[in-house]
Amino acid sequence: MGLSGAEYERILGLMGREPNYLELSLFSVMWSEHCGYKNSRPLLRRFPNEGPRVLQGPGENAGVVSLGDGWALAFKMESHNHPSAVEPYEGAATGVGGIIRDILAMGARPVALLDSLRFGPLDEERNRYLFREVVRGIGGYGNAVGVPTVGGEVEFSPAYSGNPLVNAMCVGLIRVDDLMRSRATGEGNAVVLLGSKTGRDGIHGATFASDELTEESESKRSNVQVGDPFAEKMLIECCLELLGQDLLVSLQDLGAAGITSSASEMAAGGGVGIDIEVEKVPRREAGMEPWEVMISESQERMLAVVEPERVEEALALAERYGIGGTVVGRVAGHGDLRVVDNGEVVGTVSAEHLADAPAYEREVLRPAYLDEVQKFEVAEIPEPGDYNEVLLSILSHPNLRSRRSIYNQYDHQVGTNTVVLPGADAAVMRIKGTRRGFAVTTDGRGRHCYLDPRGGGAATVAEAYRNLSCVGAEPVAVTDCLNFGSPEKPAGYYQLAECIEGMSEACEVFGTPVVSGNVSLFNETDRGPIYPTPTVGMVGVFEDVGRHATPGFKRGGDMVVVIGGSSRVSLAGSEYAEIVHGRVAGRPPGPDLASEKKTADLVREMVRSGLVDTAHDVSGGGEIVAVAEMALAGGLGIEYEEGELERMTEGQGGGRRDVALFGESGDTFLVAVPQERWEELEDALSRAAGYDLIGTVGGDRIRVGDAIDLKLSDLRRAHEQDLFGIPGEVVGGSEAVG
Amino acid sequence: MRVGVTVFPGSNCDRDALYAVERMGEEPVELWHAEADLKGVDAVIVPGGFSYGDYLRPGAIARFAGVMGPLEEFANGGGPVLGVCNGFQVLCEAHLLPGALLQNTHMRFVCDRVRVRVETANTPWTAGCEGGEELTLPVAHNEGNFFADAETLARLEDEDRVVLRYVGNPNGSANDIAGVCSEGRNVVGLMPHPERVSDPALGSDEGLKILRSVLVGATL
C-alpha cells in the first residue's frame, strides 16, 4: 500500500489500535506524497505566500488573488505525470479535468487553461506517442469542456524519456464576495455527492503517483482514471448555479483519493466530523467494497455541504443539469471521518490524523555530479562556419520550433476573452464588461535546474516575471509544480531543497508570493531521474488590457533596441550548446534578481504608458533567436545596424560571434518603436542598465552583418514544421530536421 | 430584434453567442434545450460546442431535444436560423440543412483563423455582406469536413446555396465549403465562428457583418 513500517507504527500510535483494511487504505492514500507532502512539507514552508493581493494562500483548493474592483483570480497548477506516462490520453485529459474542479471548488468560473509539458526526444517512437497522445488528451478534454487553452510550454530532453511531465494550470474568475471555501461546518448539514457515479477506476492512483515508474507500472494502467468532459461541463454549470443561488455551505472537488481525501479535508478544515453512508454512493459497477468506494478516483465528482432545508432545491438543480446529486452523509460533532455501511460502522479515523502525515526532513548534501557538469570552457566549443545553417537548425529544433502545431489543436478562443492568441510571451485575457484583464504564463527550466538547482529555480521565476512584463502585465502571484526525482536519494533531495530556495528568493524580490501548488516526486525510470523541473504559473494584472504588447514586428522602419544586462551572456547551459554541440554543461549565469526586476519593470512601464507595443524577452537560443521570432510573428524582416555584429562580438561575445548571437542570460529584452518615438524611448531608457539600438524593421530577410542573411520564408519553413511529423521524413517537400 | 440562442447540455459557445447578440445591439434570449418554446424570438442561433458530449455523432442526439420541434417549425416557416459549428452539425442531423460534417481529413482538431469568401449575399445571414467579399473568421472543430453526394453538391452550387467558401481549406471539405443554406435560404450553417469576432477588443468585429445581416433582412 505504499506505507513504510515506521509509518504503520505511527498509525498504531495515533489510533491506539490496529486499523482495519479500510482504515489502512485511507491512511495509505492520505499519507502518500501526492496528498500528504511528507517529503516536501518542511521545505515548502520556505515559500513566501503573503502579499497585499493574496486573498487565499496555500491550503485551499487553489490560491486566490485580488485583481481590483472586486474581481479575483483563483488559480493552480497540478501535475499528472505518472498517469500520463502509462496512459497518455486519459492521463492528460483527467489532469485538465482535475485542475478545473480545483478552481470550481473556489466558486470561480474556469476561464483559462495552460499546460507545461516535457517529453523525451522525438526521434524515439515511444516519446512521439506520449507527446501526440498527451496533446490530444488536453485538447479532447479542454475543447469539449469549453475552457480555452491559451498558453503553455513544452521541452524535449533525454532526461524525460519514459517519464513525461504533464502539468496543467487553470485560472478562474470570481467576484471576491462569492469566494467559496471547502471547510465543512454545521452539525447535521447534509454532505451531497454531485456528478458522475463511482467506479473502480483510479483506485490507489495517489499511491501510484508517489512511486518510481518501473516496467510494472504498465500493469497499473487500471489505476488511471478515464475522463468525461461532457460530465465535467455539466458539473461546472450546475455548481456555478448552485453557488449563484447560494445553496451551498462549502464545496470540494474529488481528486486524488476520492471521497476519502475530500471528506477528511472538509472535516479537518472545519474542525468537525463527517459520517459517510457508503451504501448511498451511486456506483457504476456491482460488488464494490466500501474501501474501494471510499478511495475510488472516478472523475467529474464534487462534494458539497448543504443545509438540510436546501437539499431538495439543490438536488433539483442537479437533475436539471442531468448530473447525479445524492446525500451521502452528514456533518457530525465528532472529529472523525466515519464510514458507515448499511448502519454498520466499517471504519473510523480521526480527520486530523489523516491530515497528519509524517514529515521527513533530510540533510541537504551537495551531490558530486554538480562539480562534473559545471565544468565548462567556451573554448571547448568550436565556432561554426555557417551561421545561417546554425540559426535554421536551432529554429527548427523541437525545443525552439513554433508551437503552432500544438496550440492549433486546442480551442484557445472559446469564451471570447482571449485578447492575445497563443504564441506570445504570455496569454492575455480580458474581463468582459470592464477595461481590466490579466495575463498568465507557465515556465520551466529543467536543464538550468539540473546544472545549478538554486540558480535555475530563481531563473524559472525570473523567466515568468519577464514574460508577463513583456506583455505589459503587473506580475502578482505564483503557482508551481515541483517535478523531481526521488527525495530519498541525496541528489534528489538537494535539488528539491535548492530549487525551492532559489524560487523563494526570486519570489521575495519580485513580490510574487506562491499561493498554490503541487509536488510530484519519484519521477525516475530505469534510465535515472528527470531533470529537477519546477514549473511555475504566474499571473499578472492589467488595469487597461488594451495597453499590451506582443512580440511580432508591426511596422517597417521601427527601431529595434535590446535592453538589459547583455554583458553576462554565456553558452553555459544554453540551447545552442545542446542543440548544435550536444553539450549540457556549465553553470548558466545569474540571475541577478534586483536587476531582473528593475529591467522588467521598466519594460512593463513602457508598454503600460503606450510607448511600446512590440516587446519580447531574450530566452532560449539567445538574442538572434528572439529577433527571428519577432520577425516571423510579424512577417517583417530586420536589418542589423552597420558594425553591430562586430560591437556585439567584441562586447558581450568576448570575441566570439556564436556567444554574441546565441549566448543566454536573464534580464534582456527586445523592443521596437517607430522612429518618431525614438526620443521618448531614449528618455525612458535613461533608467536602464544598458541598451543598444541593433537594427531596423523591414523587408523580408534577416540580415546581421556578414554572418546571417536569410529569407523569412526559409526561416518560416524551418520554424513552423509540424512537431508531430516523424523526424527525418520528408514533409511537404522539405527535409524535416529532427 | 429578439435573437434566441439554444442551450443544449454540452453547448459551450452559447454564452459567447448571447454576448455577440448584445454586441449586435439586439436582445439575447436563452432557449433551454428541454423546453419546447422559442419564446417568440425573431431569429435563432444554434451555437457551437459539444452538445451531449458529441457522443454517438456530433449533433445526433441534440436533434431530439425538446426545443427542436418548435425550431423546425420556425425554420420551415421561413424564420432565420444560424447554426455555427456544432450548431451546423445539429441542423444537418435535423435535416434542416443538406450534407454532413465528417472528421477533418488530417484527423486533428483545428483552431485557427481562416480566410473565407462570401459566395452569396442572398441569405438572411449574409445580406449585410458583399457577394465575393473575403472575411477572416475563427474555426475550431474536429468534424468540419463538409460532405455531400455529387448530386447534392451540384445542386448546392447550381442553386447558389454555398454561403461561405474557404480560401485555404482547413479540413478537407468538399468544394472548400465552409457554409451552406437551406432550399428556402433562411437556414444557414457555418463552420467558422462569427460570434468570436464580434468585439474590437479581441482584435476584430468582422463577424458582426454576418450576425447583423439578419437585421438587414428584417427591414426588407
Side-chain angles (χ1 to χ4, degrees), chain A residues 419-420 428 435 469-473 541-550 604-613 677:
Chain A
V419 176
V420 173
V428 177
R435 295 170 71 86
S469 300
C470 275
V471 298
V541 302
F542 288 97
E543 278 181 23
D544 180 357
V545 73
R547 290 272 176 90
H548 64 260
T550 53
R604 180 169 61 255
E605 202 38 57
M606 295 194 294
V607 175
R608 196 147 55 176
S609 69
L611 173 60
V612 162
D613 64 359
R677 304 197 73 170

Side-chain angles (χ1 to χ4, degrees), chain A residues 83-96:
Chain A
S84 303
V86 295
E87 176 49 67
Y89 184 97
E90 293 298 343
T94 55
V96 171

Side-chain angles (χ1 to χ4, degrees), chain A residues 116 207 236 668:
Chain A
S116 181
T207 30
I236 293 172
T668 311

Side-chain angles (χ1 to χ4, degrees), chain A residues 515-535:
Chain A
V515 296
S516 61
N518 134 284
V519 178
S520 171
L521 305 180
F522 302 99
N523 287 288
E524 308 209 352
T525 67
D526 47 15
R527 301 198 212 183
I530 60 162
Y531 282 157
T533 313
T535 59

Side-chain angles (χ1 to χ4, degrees), chain A residues 228 408 411-412 415 430 722, chain B residues 16 55 108 111 113 196 199:
Chain A
D228 177 357
N408 275 12
D411 189 339
H412 41 253
R430 59 115 175 244
D722 189 350
Chain B
D16 299 348
Y55 295 141
R108 285 191 206 166
C111 180
R113 273 58 52 195
R196 291 190 178 184
D199 192 340

Side-chain angles (χ1 to χ4, degrees), chain A residues 267-279:
Chain A
V272 294
I274 285 183
D275 291 336
I276 296 290
E277 294 167 71
V278 70
E279 79 279 2

Side-chain angles (χ1 to χ4, degrees), chain A residues 70-83:
Chain A
W71 291 101
L73 284 184
F75 63 99
K76 190 184 182 190
M77 181 153 60
E78 199 159 80
S79 60
H80 237 213
N81 304 334
H82 284 62

